[in-house]
Amino acid sequence: METGGNEGSAWTDGPLILGVPWEPPRRLIAAAAGLADGLGVHLICAFVDPSGYLAEFEPARSRTASSIDPDTNSEALFPAADVRSSLESVMGAPGEAWSLRVLNGSVPDALARLADSTGASAIVVGGPRRGARARFNRMLEQPVSARLMGIQRRPVVVIPEV
């Protein structure tokens, strides 16, 4: 397990954020749940849909959470339901110990915004995936863990894939 972040990062007693991929490994979920339990903090599991985006055309004080798209995309609910099912299979039903948030946009940016808005103590993510396709993707875009360590002042905990 690696930790990283910018200089001046400090561990707080805020919740722990877990960046949950589409098919979350049980090892990642269990490690984050164990860390949150050991620290005595709430675990916020965050699934980020990169196909959506955050549109912020108005000043923050007048911004609403309503969609600019008049049609409801019911298909967008299914990945979140699958992710929730994976989380519940390891940790049981959400409640005091953990909760799920579904976000949109760039994964590192969305996780950073959530961490800032909740006063999170740290962000937990999985390590870069293995294989030729994953290596090719990393040539085009940095792994989420690397991007987070570049934009976050709080600790980033990386759980390697086995």
Side-chain angles (χ1 to χ4, degrees), residues 17-55:
I17 304 291
L18 169 61
V20 183
W22 189 303
E23 295 176 349
R26 293 182 70 86
R27 173 183 156 86
L28 175 63
I29 299 168
L35 181 57
D37 185 52
L39 294 170
V41 298
H42 184 76
L43 178 64
I44 300 174
C45 301
F47 171 70
V48 183
D49 179 358
S51 66
Y53 62 92
L54 180 64

Side-chain angles (χ1 to χ4, degrees), residues 36-109:
D37 185 52
L39 294 170
V41 298
H42 184 76
L43 178 64
I44 300 174
C45 301
F47 171 70
V48 183
D49 179 358
S51 66
Y53 62 92
L54 180 64
E56 297 180 347
F57 299 112
E58 299 178 27
R61 66 185 175 284
S62 64
R63 200 175 303 139
T64 65
S66 60
S67 173
I68 60 174
D69 186 354
D71 295 328
T72 302
N73 182 2
S74 60
E75 291 176 357
L77 300 176
F78 294 116
D82 290 345
V83 168
R84 181 181 172 132
S85 177
S86 295
L87 294 168
E88 287 179 342
S89 74
V90 176
M91 299 185 293
E96 276 190 45
W98 74 276
S99 58
L100 173 65
R101 303 267 183 102
V102 179
L103 309 169
N104 291 308
S106 158
V107 175
D109 294 334

Side-chain angles (χ1 to χ4, degrees), residues 3 11 36 44 85 157-158:
T3 59
W11 203 278
I44 300 174
S85 177
V157 180
V158 180

Side-chain angles (χ1 to χ4, degrees), residues 1-2 25 27-28 31 124-130 157-162:
M1 181 168 35
E2 298 175 24
R27 173 183 156 86
L28 175 63
V124 178
V125 293
R129 292 203 169 121
R130 298 178 184 183
V157 180
V158 180
I159 308 296
E161 195 176 274
V162 175

